[in-house]
């Protein structure tokens, strides 16, 4: 049984946010990076002119076998991780294993991916 969830859409501003379900502090600037992070929010860049497929789930279910573009931690005090647009629209949600969650992000392109895991 899998807890993996996916969605495909064109994202406003070509950025998605990964944060605790109650929200987080959004990074002020991407600084040319694919992933910008605060302790409570990850901002991830994506394709600006096409749909992006976003997959969220446990590493054992989602790891494509390549090095991640981000490997770090995210504060998840409310026990769930949410993926949102920059306007706050929730796209995906999964249960977090702890109040601080290990997060790995894979992307199929270094600057404008259309597949983010």
């Amino acid at each position: 049984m899998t807890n993996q969830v996916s969605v495909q859409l064109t994202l406003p501003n070509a950025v998605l946010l990964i944060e605790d379900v109650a929200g987080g502090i959004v990074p002020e600037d991407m600084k040319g990076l694919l992933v910008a992070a605060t302790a409570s929010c990850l901002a991830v860049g994506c394709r600006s002119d096409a749909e992006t497929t976003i997959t969220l789930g446990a590493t054992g279910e989602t790891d494509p076998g390549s090095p991640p573009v981000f490997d770090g931690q995210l504060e998840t005090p409310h026990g769930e991780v949410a993926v949102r647009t920059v306007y706050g629209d929730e796209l995906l949600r999964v249960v977090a294993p702890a109040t601080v969650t290990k997060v790995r992000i894979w992307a199929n392109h270094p600057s404008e991916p259309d597949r983010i895991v």
Side-chain angles (χ1 to χ4, degrees):
M1 183 155 133
T2 181
N3 290 323
Q4 178 178 311
V5 292
S6 292
V7 66
Q8 186 174 20
L9 72 160
T10 302
L11 287 152
N13 297 7
V15 174
L16 65 90
L17 303 177
I18 303 170
E19 57 191 354
D20 180 76
V21 71
I25 298 171
V26 178
E28 290 183 24
D29 188 343
M30 296 291 290
K31 298 180 182 168
L33 301 171
L34 182 60
V35 180
T38 65
S40 59
C41 181
L42 307 173
V44 184
C46 60
R47 288 284 300 265
S48 60
D49 60 350
E51 287 192 334
T52 298
T53 301
I54 305 157
T55 303
L56 183 63
T59 297
E61 299 172 352
T62 58
D63 184 344
S66 59
V69 296
F70 177 84
D71 188 349
Q73 296 184 333
L74 180 69
E75 294 174 357
T76 52
H78 293 89
E80 292 181 289
V81 175
V83 176
R84 296 188 170 109
T85 69
V86 293
Y87 298 121
D89 299 321
E90 187 172 300
L91 306 173
L92 301 169
R93 181 192 293 206
V94 295
V95 173
T99 57
V100 176
T101 301
K102 176 90 167 160
V103 176
R104 291 184 183 97
I105 299 172
W106 290 271
N108 68 344
H109 190 273
S111 61
E112 287 194 33
D114 64 2
R115 179 171 285 289
I116 298 170
V117 177

